[in-house]
Protein backbone atom coordinates (compact mmCIF):
# COMPACT_ATOMS: atom_id res chain seq x y z
CA UNK A 1 0.00 0.00 0.00
CA UNK A 2 1.47 3.37 -1.03
CA UNK A 3 2.16 5.84 1.77
CA UNK A 4 -0.46 8.39 0.75
CA UNK A 5 -3.11 5.69 0.42
CA UNK A 6 -2.16 4.23 3.81
CA UNK A 7 -2.47 7.61 5.51
CA UNK A 8 -5.83 8.33 3.90
CA UNK A 9 -7.07 4.89 4.95
CA UNK A 10 -6.09 5.51 8.58
CA UNK A 11 -7.83 8.85 8.76
CA UNK A 12 -10.93 7.72 6.86
CA UNK A 13 -11.43 4.63 8.98
CA UNK A 14 -10.55 6.23 12.31
CA UNK A 15 -7.38 5.04 13.96
CA UNK A 16 -9.05 4.32 17.29
CA UNK A 17 -11.50 1.94 15.60
CA UNK A 18 -8.71 0.22 13.66
CA UNK A 19 -6.58 -0.44 16.72
CA UNK A 20 -9.58 -1.53 18.80
CA UNK A 21 -10.09 -4.56 16.60
CA UNK A 22 -8.39 -7.49 18.36
CA UNK A 23 -7.26 -9.19 15.11
CA UNK A 24 -5.45 -6.10 13.78
CA UNK A 25 -2.26 -5.20 15.66
CA UNK A 26 -0.72 -2.67 13.29
CA UNK A 27 -1.93 -0.69 10.28
CA UNK A 28 -0.66 -1.57 6.81
CA UNK A 29 2.23 0.82 6.10
CA UNK A 30 5.09 0.81 3.57
CA UNK A 31 8.26 -1.02 4.57
CA UNK A 32 10.27 2.18 4.06
CA UNK A 33 9.43 5.78 4.95
CA UNK A 34 11.05 9.16 5.36
CA UNK A 35 10.95 11.24 8.53
CA UNK A 36 8.66 13.69 6.74
CA UNK A 37 6.21 10.90 5.95
CA UNK A 38 6.38 9.58 9.51
CA UNK A 39 5.42 13.02 10.83
CA UNK A 40 2.17 12.82 8.82
CA UNK A 41 0.98 9.74 10.73
CA UNK A 42 -1.17 9.95 13.88
CA UNK A 43 1.03 10.24 16.96
CA UNK A 44 -0.35 6.96 18.34
CA UNK A 45 1.18 5.17 15.37
CA UNK A 46 4.34 7.24 14.84
CA UNK A 47 5.38 6.76 18.48
CA UNK A 48 5.59 3.00 17.90
CA UNK A 49 7.98 3.27 14.95
CA UNK A 50 11.73 3.71 14.60
CA UNK A 51 13.37 4.35 11.24
CA UNK A 52 16.58 2.41 10.56
CA UNK A 53 18.01 4.07 7.46
CA UNK A 54 14.42 4.58 6.32
CA UNK A 55 13.24 1.06 7.14
CA UNK A 56 10.12 0.95 9.31
CA UNK A 57 10.82 -0.90 12.58
CA UNK A 58 7.92 -1.37 14.99
CA UNK A 59 8.82 -0.91 18.65
CA UNK A 60 6.99 -3.26 20.97
CA UNK A 61 5.28 -1.78 23.99
CA UNK A 62 6.46 -3.56 27.12
CA UNK A 63 4.41 -4.40 30.23
CA UNK A 64 3.87 -1.94 33.07
CA UNK A 65 7.11 -3.10 34.68
CA UNK A 66 9.03 -1.97 31.62
CA UNK A 67 7.75 1.59 31.98
CA UNK A 68 8.20 1.61 35.75
CA UNK A 69 11.83 0.51 35.70
CA UNK A 70 12.58 2.89 32.84
CA UNK A 71 11.28 5.75 34.99
CA UNK A 72 13.21 4.56 38.05
CA UNK A 73 16.46 4.43 36.07
CA UNK A 74 15.74 7.89 34.66
CA UNK A 75 15.15 9.25 38.16
CA UNK A 76 18.43 7.83 39.47
CA UNK A 77 20.42 9.12 36.51
CA UNK A 78 18.79 12.54 36.76
CA UNK A 79 19.68 12.83 40.44
CA UNK A 80 23.26 11.70 39.80
CA UNK A 81 23.62 14.20 36.95
CA UNK A 82 22.45 17.05 39.15
CA UNK A 83 24.83 16.03 41.92
CA UNK A 84 27.70 15.86 39.43
CA UNK A 85 26.86 19.29 38.03
CA UNK A 86 26.84 20.67 41.57
CA UNK A 87 30.43 19.52 41.97
CA UNK A 88 31.49 20.46 38.42
CA UNK A 89 29.26 23.36 37.25
CA UNK A 90 31.19 23.71 33.99
CA UNK A 91 29.36 20.66 32.66
CA UNK A 92 25.66 20.29 31.98
CA UNK A 93 23.83 17.01 31.47
CA UNK A 94 20.20 15.99 31.05
CA UNK A 95 18.49 12.63 31.57
CA UNK A 96 15.57 11.71 29.29
CA UNK A 97 13.21 8.82 28.61
CA UNK A 98 11.91 7.54 25.24
CA UNK A 99 13.39 10.40 23.22
CA UNK A 100 14.31 10.06 19.54
CA UNK A 101 18.06 10.06 18.90
CA UNK A 102 18.92 10.86 15.29
CA UNK A 103 21.97 8.88 14.23
CA UNK A 104 22.82 10.89 11.11
CA UNK A 105 23.21 14.65 11.18
CA UNK A 106 22.03 14.97 7.58
CA UNK A 107 19.25 12.37 7.55
CA UNK A 108 16.42 12.32 10.09
CA UNK A 109 15.09 9.08 8.57
CA UNK A 110 17.60 7.15 10.72
CA UNK A 111 16.81 7.25 14.43
CA UNK A 112 16.36 5.10 17.52
CA UNK A 113 14.29 5.72 20.65
CA UNK A 114 16.16 4.41 23.71
CA UNK A 115 14.24 3.77 26.92
CA UNK A 116 16.48 6.19 28.82
CA UNK A 117 19.48 8.32 27.95
CA UNK A 118 21.87 11.05 29.07
CA UNK A 119 22.76 13.95 26.80
CA UNK A 120 24.65 17.18 26.97
CA UNK A 121 22.46 20.20 27.59
CA UNK A 122 21.37 21.80 24.32
CA UNK A 123 21.63 25.58 23.86
CA UNK A 124 17.93 26.02 23.00
CA UNK A 125 14.72 24.23 24.11
CA UNK A 126 12.77 21.84 21.88
CA UNK A 127 15.76 20.94 19.71
CA UNK A 128 16.22 17.57 18.02
CA UNK A 129 18.67 15.28 19.76
CA UNK A 130 21.51 13.86 17.65
CA UNK A 131 23.96 11.10 18.54
CA UNK A 132 26.83 13.61 18.83
CA UNK A 133 25.12 15.11 21.89
CA UNK A 134 24.35 11.78 23.60
CA UNK A 135 26.66 10.27 26.22
CA UNK A 136 24.68 7.22 27.31
CA UNK A 137 21.72 5.25 26.02
CA UNK A 138 19.92 2.43 27.80
CA UNK A 139 17.37 -0.25 27.04
CA UNK A 140 15.10 -2.12 29.46
CA UNK A 141 14.68 -5.63 28.08
CA UNK A 142 11.20 -7.13 28.26
CA UNK A 143 10.56 -10.86 27.71
CA UNK A 144 9.32 -9.98 24.20
CA UNK A 145 12.68 -8.54 23.12
CA UNK A 146 14.67 -10.88 20.91
CA UNK A 147 18.43 -11.15 21.30
CA UNK A 148 18.90 -10.59 17.56
CA UNK A 149 16.94 -7.33 17.61
CA UNK A 150 18.84 -6.04 20.64
CA UNK A 151 22.22 -6.92 19.14
CA UNK A 152 21.31 -5.02 15.98
CA UNK A 153 20.11 -2.04 17.99
CA UNK A 154 23.26 -2.06 20.13
CA UNK A 155 25.33 -2.14 16.95
CA UNK A 156 23.55 0.91 15.57
CA UNK A 157 24.24 2.85 18.77
CA UNK A 158 27.92 1.86 18.50
CA UNK A 159 28.21 2.86 14.86
CA UNK A 160 26.71 6.25 15.77
CA UNK A 161 29.58 6.74 18.24
CA UNK A 162 27.57 6.92 21.49
CA UNK A 163 30.16 6.31 24.25
CA UNK A 164 28.09 4.31 26.75
CA UNK A 165 25.32 1.73 26.48
CA UNK A 166 23.37 0.21 29.40
CA UNK A 167 21.17 -2.87 29.27
CA UNK A 168 18.64 -3.68 31.99
CA UNK A 169 17.36 -7.27 32.31
CA UNK A 170 14.15 -7.92 34.24
CA UNK A 171 13.28 -10.93 36.34
CA UNK A 172 10.82 -13.29 34.68
CA UNK A 173 8.97 -14.51 37.78
CA UNK A 174 8.66 -11.24 39.72
CA UNK A 175 8.59 -7.48 39.19
CA UNK A 176 12.25 -6.69 39.76
CA UNK A 177 15.48 -5.93 37.96
CA UNK A 178 17.69 -8.99 37.61
CA UNK A 179 20.81 -7.28 36.26
CA UNK A 180 22.16 -4.04 34.86
CA UNK A 181 25.13 -4.14 32.50
CA UNK A 182 27.22 -1.21 31.28
CA UNK A 183 29.14 -1.22 28.00
CA UNK A 184 31.82 1.19 26.79
CA UNK A 185 32.45 1.99 23.14
CA UNK A 186 35.56 0.51 21.55
CA UNK A 187 36.50 2.19 18.26
CA UNK A 188 39.64 0.18 17.46
CA UNK A 189 39.42 -3.64 17.26
CA UNK A 190 41.94 -5.87 18.99
CA UNK A 191 44.46 -8.15 17.32
CA UNK A 192 42.88 -10.39 14.71
CA UNK A 193 44.36 -13.09 12.47
CA UNK A 194 45.73 -11.84 9.13
CA UNK A 195 42.97 -11.20 6.62
CA UNK A 196 40.22 -11.15 9.28
CA UNK A 197 38.30 -7.91 9.74
CA UNK A 198 35.57 -6.97 12.22
CA UNK A 199 32.02 -6.89 10.89
CA UNK A 200 31.44 -3.48 12.49
CA UNK A 201 34.01 -0.66 12.86
CA UNK A 202 32.95 0.01 16.47
CA UNK A 203 31.59 -2.22 19.21
CA UNK A 204 30.70 -2.16 22.90
CA UNK A 205 32.71 -3.96 25.57
CA UNK A 206 31.20 -4.98 28.89
CA UNK A 207 32.68 -2.78 31.64
CA UNK A 208 30.25 -3.16 34.53
CA UNK A 209 27.65 -5.56 35.87
CA UNK A 210 25.40 -5.15 38.90
CA UNK A 211 22.77 -7.37 40.53
CA UNK A 212 20.80 -6.89 43.77
CA UNK A 213 22.52 -10.02 45.14
CA UNK A 214 26.08 -8.86 44.57
CA UNK A 215 26.08 -5.14 45.45
CA UNK A 216 24.02 -2.55 47.29
CA UNK A 217 24.01 0.02 44.51
CA UNK A 218 24.78 0.68 40.86
CA UNK A 219 28.01 2.68 40.97
CA UNK A 220 30.19 3.92 38.12
CA UNK A 221 32.45 6.93 37.57
CA UNK A 222 31.76 7.63 33.89
CA UNK A 223 30.33 9.49 32.05
CA UNK A 224 30.06 11.18 35.47
CA UNK A 225 29.79 9.70 38.98
CA UNK A 226 26.56 7.67 39.15
CA UNK A 227 25.24 6.11 42.35
CA UNK A 228 21.80 4.47 42.36
CA UNK A 229 20.93 2.29 45.38
CA UNK A 230 18.96 -0.83 44.59
CA UNK A 231 16.30 0.39 47.03
CA UNK A 232 15.62 3.21 44.54
CA UNK A 233 15.01 0.65 41.79
CA UNK A 234 12.30 -1.35 43.52
CA UNK A 235 8.87 -1.62 41.87
Amino acid sequence: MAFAVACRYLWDQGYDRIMSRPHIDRPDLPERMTWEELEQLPEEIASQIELWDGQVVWVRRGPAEHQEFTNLLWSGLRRSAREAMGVDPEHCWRAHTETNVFLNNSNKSDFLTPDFLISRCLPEPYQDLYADDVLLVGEVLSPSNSQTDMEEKRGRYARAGIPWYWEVTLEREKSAIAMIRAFALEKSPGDLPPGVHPLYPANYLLTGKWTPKTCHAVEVELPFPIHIPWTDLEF
Side-chain angles (χ1 to χ4, degrees):
M1 183 182 293
F3 174 77
V5 176
C7 285
R8 186 168 63 250
Y9 173 79
L10 290 173
W11 290 114
D12 290 347
Q13 297 298 317
Y15 172 70
D16 55 340
R17 295 195 299 276
I18 294 173
M19 297 305 288
S20 67
R21 300 175 191 171
H23 62 284
I24 298 180
D25 296 326
R26 297 166 179 167
D28 185 14
L29 294 176
E31 294 183 0
R32 302 189 63 83
M33 298 175 62
T34 65
W35 170 257
E36 291 73 22
E37 290 172 335
L38 184 67
E39 284 189 305
Q40 297 179 40
L41 295 178
E43 176 61 25
E44 293 84 355
I45 301 176
S47 63
Q48 300 181 58
I49 293 174
E50 294 176 337
L51 295 180
W52 295 14
D53 287 327
Q55 179 184 352
V56 173
V57 177
W58 289 91
V59 181
R60 297 183 179 182
R61 292 294 184 185
E65 284 83 354
H66 180 278
Q67 312 304 324
E68 183 70 18
F69 290 121
T70 294
N71 291 332
L72 292 176
L73 260 299
W74 166 81
S75 179
L77 292 172
R78 181 172 181 266
R79 175 183 49 76
S80 294
R82 289 190 168 189
E83 292 174 354
M85 288 188 293
V87 175
D88 185 6
E90 294 185 1
H91 289 88
C92 184
W93 299 287
R94 291 286 184 267
H96 309 278
T97 60
E98 297 184 344
T99 301
N100 294 339
V101 176
F102 297 97
L103 306 183
N104 190 322
N105 290 337
S106 61
N107 179 16
K108 293 183 69 174
S109 302
D110 190 17
F111 72 89
L112 297 171
T113 310
D115 290 323
F116 57 89
L117 64 99
I118 296 169
S119 71
R120 299 180 183 89
C121 297
L122 300 179
E124 300 292 338
Y126 306 109
Q127 289 185 287
D128 292 327
L129 195 59
Y130 289 87
D132 291 346
D133 295 311
V134 176
L135 301 178
L136 181 152
V137 292
E139 299 287 348
V140 178
L141 306 189
S142 298
S144 60
N145 291 124
S146 72
Q147 189 63 32
T148 300
D149 289 345
M150 295 314 302
E151 288 178 357
E152 177 63 23
K153 198 166 190 178
R154 187 193 306 167
R156 296 185 67 81
Y157 287 134
R159 292 192 291 276
I162 297 174
W164 299 93
Y165 170 77
W166 282 23
E167 206 166 77
V168 181
T169 305
L170 303 184
E171 294 278 7
R172 289 186 173 273
E173 302 299 330
K174 60 180 180 179
S175 299
I177 293 176
M179 180 184 299
I180 298 175
R181 298 190 297 168
F183 299 81
L185 183 65
E186 181 190 44
K187 296 183 179 180
S188 57
D191 293 333
L192 295 172
V196 177
H197 304 283
L199 183 60
Y200 302 119
N203 198 8
Y204 287 112
L205 295 180
L206 181 65
T207 59
K209 182 168 63 175
W210 305 274
T211 72
K213 298 178 181 178
T214 59
C215 57
H216 71 282
V218 177
E219 293 185 285
V220 65
E221 290 300 313
L222 293 173
F224 49 77
I226 295 172
H227 176 88
I228 309 176
W230 280 108
T231 52
D232 289 355
L233 298 175
E234 295 177 350
F235 192 93

